[in-house]
């Protein structure tokens, strides 16, 4: 028969002990019947029994030895069980003490837990926004937000993935070569799966996208097509001919800002045609090249006119121009323009008619005329302008171009504008700037010279 001690040997946990004891109790539930006809009291005097030989023979047949063995076993089990019960009482007390210590430890550590782990989702969301890089677009990187935020812990990942505003800026740059073969297509599918997963998390929010390197315009269009209604800002740096630009600018009804970089003189007509089809939501347009390339890809008056449907809605423009007449055409077509940056290399000057633009508040002129013309062609432009709402003018010019200070002073006097800042950069020594003349004309003017 299995004893209590043998049932409790090598038990490693409280649950094992409890299970073993329950098994012992179940095994002891059956108690054999030990009574016989001779174990019950009778009318005979038990102190002086009268037993005949037949009765004596029957009693001697009763298994007394078996009863003694059963008694010894029960006594052993009682002793063992008492030992176990004392041990269980001690173990129970230890478990109670351990419980109290665990509760105390939990209470202490909850108090020491960093406050950031207990922040509400709304507060944590605000912190996540502050973790984002300041770039207008985001290059996916595992060590930068928002990707980094998904790798800290599961609660942070859940919060970050559920914040569409974290996934609304994206820089698409896929370096897999330029030929469409099996290898590059597999690499493209792998890359676009990642970008598509990113864009899905934006969940309808306005998107800011930069497109720099990609296998083909057709494949890129297939990636962006499900999100075309969300695109609000789009910057395109050509790695392909601009003739395919129309595919990227097709059906972007929410587009407000467009930046086009890297075009050449052969691309201008395609760019102009594509832009002319943009929606009335457009407010900001940037078509600029490096000053060193200005002679290769300027917009002339013809191209300016071809964008006619778009100009009326624009409020900010950055553009490269080769003719002062194109500058004036641009102002006529953009009545709502408030900010204008022009990379200018004016020559072949024509007679200009005075034009007044009432909404321009900020004007940046980057003069790239390195021909050393006397006088500077910008002087004729200043003579043809009146800007009554101008507040900031910044002039950046080459070292070879004498700046037309007199014509600029006359522009201010004619415009009677509330000019606040006048900034000269790159080329002019302080002694070359008639600061006193400008301040005499507008006493509150802040004249800044950056040599």
């Amino acid at each position: 028969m299995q004893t209590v001690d043998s049932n409790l040997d090598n038990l490693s946990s409280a649950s094992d002990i409890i299970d073993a004891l329950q098994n012992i109790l179940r095994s002891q539930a059956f108690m054999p019947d030990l009574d016989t006809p001779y174990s019950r009291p009778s009318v005979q005097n038990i102190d002086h029994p009268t037993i005949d030989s037949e009765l004596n023979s029957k009693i001697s047949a009763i298994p007394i030895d078996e009863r003694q063995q059963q008694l010894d076993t029960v006594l052993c089990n009682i002793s063992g069980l008492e030992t176990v019960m004392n041990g269980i009482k001690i173990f129970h007390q230890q478990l109670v003490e351990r419980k109290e210590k665990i509760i105390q430890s939990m209470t202490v550590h909850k108090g020491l837990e960093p406050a950031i782990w207990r922040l509400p989702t709304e507060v944590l969301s605000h912190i996540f926004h502050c973790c984002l890089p300041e770039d207008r677009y985001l290059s996916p990187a595992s060590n930068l937000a928002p990707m980094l935020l998904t790798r800290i812990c599961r609660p942070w990942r859940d919060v970050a993935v559920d914040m569409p505003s974290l996934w609304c800026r994206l820089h698409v740059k896929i370096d897999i070569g330029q030929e469409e073969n099996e290898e590059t297509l597999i690499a493209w599918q792998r890359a676009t799966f990642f970008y598509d997963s990113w864009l899905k998390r934006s969940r309808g929010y306005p998107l800011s996208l930069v497109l720099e390197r990609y296998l083909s315009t057709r494949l890129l269009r297939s990636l962006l097509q499900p999100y075309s209604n969300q695109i609000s800002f789009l910057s395109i740096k050509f790695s392909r001919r601009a003739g395919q630009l129309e595919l990227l600018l097709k059906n972007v009804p929410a587009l407000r800002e467009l930046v086009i970089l890297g075009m050449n003189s052969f691309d201008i007509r395609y760019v102009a045609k594509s832009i002319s089809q943009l929606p009335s939501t457009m407010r900001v347009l940037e078509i600029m090249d490096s000053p060193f390339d200005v002679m290769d890809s300027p917009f002339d008056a013809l191209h300016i006119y071809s964008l006619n449907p778009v100009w009326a809605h624009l409020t900010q423009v950055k553009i490269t121009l080769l003719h002062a007449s194109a500058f004036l055409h641009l102002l006529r077509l953009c009545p709502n323009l408030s900010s204008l940056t022009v990379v200018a290399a004016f020559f072949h000057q024509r007679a200009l008619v005075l034009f007044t633009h009432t909404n321009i508040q900020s004007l940046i002129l980057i003069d790239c005329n390195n021909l050393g013309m006397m006088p500077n062609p910008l002087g004729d432009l200043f003579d043809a302008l009146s800007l009554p709402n101008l507040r900031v003018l910044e002039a950046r010019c080459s070292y070879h171009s004498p700046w037309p200070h007199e014509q600029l002073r006359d522009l201010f006097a004619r415009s009677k504008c509330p000019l606040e800042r006048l900034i000269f950069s790159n080329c002019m020594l302080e002694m070359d700037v008639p600061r006193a003349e400008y301040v005499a004309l507008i006493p509150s003017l802040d004249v800044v010279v950056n040599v």
Side-chain angles (χ1 to χ4, degrees):
M1 178 179 294
Q2 195 174 35
T3 67
V4 173
D5 289 334
S6 64
N7 276 282
L8 298 177
D9 286 344
N10 302 319
L11 299 180
S12 58
S13 67
S15 61
D16 292 335
I17 294 174
I18 293 170
D19 290 341
L21 287 174
Q22 289 175 341
N23 289 332
I24 291 172
L25 292 174
R26 282 193 293 269
S27 69
Q28 301 300 323
F30 173 74
M31 180 64 69
D33 184 8
L34 302 177
D35 289 340
T36 67
Y38 307 103
S39 63
R40 300 185 183 91
S42 66
V43 296
Q44 300 180 6
N45 188 338
I46 61 174
D47 292 329
H48 304 282
T50 302
I51 305 175
D52 57 22
S53 59
E54 181 181 356
L55 179 62
N56 185 57
S57 175
K58 292 180 179 180
I59 292 175
S60 63
I62 297 174
I64 299 299
D65 293 340
E66 181 181 344
R67 294 292 186 269
Q68 184 63 48
Q69 183 179 0
Q70 290 173 346
L71 177 61
D72 292 341
T73 300
V74 170
L75 291 175
C76 181
N77 281 342
I78 289 174
S79 176
L81 188 58
E82 288 176 347
T83 301
V84 170
M85 289 173 65
N86 290 334
I88 289 176
K89 289 180 181 179
I90 296 173
F91 189 37
H92 177 266
Q93 182 61 33
Q94 291 175 345
L95 288 177
V96 171
E97 293 175 357
R98 185 180 300 178
K99 179 194 73 172
E100 298 299 330
K101 290 181 179 180
I102 291 173
I103 293 174
Q104 182 182 7
S105 177
M106 289 173 62
T107 303
V108 171
H109 283 85
K110 282 182 178 180
L112 297 176
E113 186 179 74
I116 193 169
W117 298 105
R118 305 193 302 271
L119 290 176
T121 300
E122 295 77 10
V123 177
L124 200 58
S125 299
H126 180 74
I127 294 174
F128 283 2
H129 272 293
C130 295
C131 293
L132 292 176
E134 295 181 358
D135 298 339
R136 182 67 182 270
Y137 50 87
L138 300 176
S139 296
S142 60
N143 61 340
L144 295 175
M147 293 295 296
L148 178 61
L149 299 173
T150 67
R151 301 172 60 235
I152 305 300
C153 61
R154 182 58 182 266
W156 279 31
R157 174 182 173 80
D158 291 342
V159 172
V161 170
D162 199 40
M163 290 179 59
S165 54
L166 294 181
W167 310 95
C168 292
R169 296 183 282 159
L170 180 60
H171 185 182
V172 178
K173 184 178 180 180
I174 307 177
D175 294 311
I176 58 174
Q178 297 295 316
E179 298 298 328
E180 292 190 37
N181 51 45
E182 183 177 357
E183 181 179 353
T184 56
L185 287 175
I186 293 175
W188 172 264
Q189 291 173 356
R190 187 182 304 114
T192 54
F193 176 81
F194 170 80
Y195 285 120
D196 185 59
S197 299
W198 178 297
L199 292 172
K200 282 180 179 176
R201 294 175 180 175
S202 66
R203 299 182 187 177
Y205 273 51
L207 290 173
S208 294
L209 303 179
V210 174
L211 314 178
E212 183 173 350
R213 298 177 187 172
Y214 43 90
L215 182 59
S216 78
T217 305
R218 176 181 55 82
L219 292 175
L220 182 62
R221 172 64 183 173
S222 65
L223 167 65
L224 300 180
Q225 196 277 330
Y227 313 100
S228 58
N229 291 341
Q230 298 174 232
I231 299 175
S232 175
F233 170 88
L234 185 60
S235 175
I236 304 172
K237 185 173 182 179
F238 286 118
S239 60
R240 297 279 178 170
R241 288 293 305 274
Q244 297 177 322
L245 177 64
E246 188 174 359
L247 284 176
L248 298 178
L249 297 183
K250 184 178 181 180
N251 190 27
V252 282
L255 188 64
R256 292 180 57 86
E257 303 181 46
L258 175 63
V259 178
I260 296 178
L261 303 171
M263 68 177 184
N264 57 50
S265 57
F266 299 103
D267 295 325
I268 294 175
R269 64 180 182 274
Y270 298 113
V271 171
K273 178 182 177 182
S274 300
I275 294 176
S276 66
Q277 300 174 7
L278 291 177
S280 59
T281 55
M282 280 287 297
R283 294 296 180 268
V284 180
L285 178 63
E286 179 177 340
I287 312 174
M288 295 185 69
D289 294 284
S290 165
F292 301 103
D293 300 326
V294 68
M295 301 300 291
D296 294 329
S297 56
F299 267 72
D300 58 20
L302 178 61
H303 297 122
I304 293 293
Y305 273 123
S306 69
L307 275 65
N308 192 22
V310 176
W311 292 126
H313 308 288
L314 298 179
T315 58
Q316 298 180 47
V317 171
K318 296 182 180 180
I319 195 168
T320 300
L321 297 175
L322 195 59
H323 304 286
S325 58
F327 185 103
L328 294 179
H329 286 314
L330 175 63
L331 293 184
R332 292 188 180 95
L333 294 172
C334 299
N336 296 308
L337 199 62
S338 63
S339 177
L340 176 61
T341 299
V342 174
V343 177
F346 297 157
F347 67 99
H348 299 312
Q349 199 66 40
R350 301 176 183 175
L352 303 176
V353 178
L354 181 65
F355 178 76
T356 299
H357 195 289
T358 58
N359 287 321
I360 292 285
Q361 299 182 31
S362 174
L363 177 60
I364 299 176
L365 290 172
I366 304 173
D367 178 22
C368 295
N369 181 5
N370 293 317
L371 302 179
M373 293 184 179
M374 296 290 291
N376 191 310
L378 285 178
D380 293 336
L381 177 64
F382 291 158
D383 285 338
L385 277 178
S386 178
L387 305 172
N389 203 30
L390 187 65
R391 285 171 167 76
V392 177
L393 174 64
E394 181 175 352
R396 307 174 195 170
C397 57
S398 68
Y399 285 90
H400 303 288
S401 302
W403 191 258
H405 290 294
E406 184 175 344
Q407 290 95 326
L408 182 59
R409 181 197 60 201
D410 293 342
L411 168 60
F412 295 154
R414 179 171 57 254
S415 301
K416 298 179 181 179
C417 55
L419 196 66
E420 299 168 0
R421 299 201 78 195
L422 179 58
I423 305 170
F424 294 101
S425 302
N426 295 348
C427 65
M428 301 180 182
L429 298 175
E430 186 171 356
M431 66 182 66
D432 296 328
V433 176
R435 185 192 305 263
E437 294 185 29
Y438 294 124
V439 174
L441 187 63
I442 307 174
S444 61
L445 183 63
D446 179 18
V447 181
V448 179
V449 178
N450 300 319
V451 179

